[in-house]
Amino acid sequence: MTNSPEYFQNVASGNARVGVQAGHISGGVFSGAPPDARPADVAAALDELLAALRAAYEHGELDRETLADSEHEVGVTRTALASADPEQHGRAVRALRKLGGLVGGLAGSGTAVATLLAQVERLTS
């Protein structure tokens, strides 16, 4: 048996959207939030996201109104998740979707919101 290196070629062109490119995968693989996501992880992730958005504002990458709207949606998410009412958890999902629309074009923030959304959807289902 020879140990020749593996060669993979994957070409995307035009209006192609590549979700995942992988030649060889070993170990655990998941899509979206890690399977062991906990509510405390969501709170910490919301804190990290807010800190990143505030830093983006300070660097001129985000305007004041978008930051204010983003802070509002994070607040709605926190309040909804703190409630024992399952209908409020749906509010958290909607708030995160709005937040994704607000900051989806900001490097890293769209991904962070999508991960949070997957975590919250897992918690509420």
Side-chain angles (χ1 to χ4, degrees):
M1 180 152 125
T2 63
N3 288 336
S4 63
E6 295 181 40
Y7 175 77
F8 299 95
Q9 182 176 8
N10 196 349
V11 178
S13 63
N15 195 24
R17 303 230 192 280
V18 179
V20 175
Q21 282 185 286
H24 180 79
I25 299 175
S26 63
V29 177
F30 60 88
S31 178
D36 61 346
R38 307 258 190 275
D41 296 336
V42 172
L46 285 169
D47 290 340
E48 289 175 21
L49 178 61
L50 267 181
L53 293 175
R54 289 174 178 149
Y57 170 73
E58 293 298 323
H59 290 102
E61 299 168 4
L62 194 65
D63 61 74
R64 182 187 330 259
E65 293 79 16
T66 303
L67 177 61
D69 289 348
S70 298
E71 289 172 333
H72 172 75
E73 296 306 333
V74 168
V76 169
T77 301
R78 285 184 198 280
T79 302
L81 289 176
S83 172
D85 182 1
E87 288 183 22
Q88 289 298 312
H89 290 187
R91 252 184 111 199
V93 169
R94 288 189 302 278
L96 286 171
R97 287 182 182 155
K98 289 177 189 176
L99 182 58
L102 289 167
V103 301
L106 191 61
S109 297
T111 303
V113 173
T115 300
L116 277 165
L117 182 58
Q119 287 176 313
V120 170
E121 286 176 333
R122 187 172 290 119
L123 291 172
T124 59
S125 59

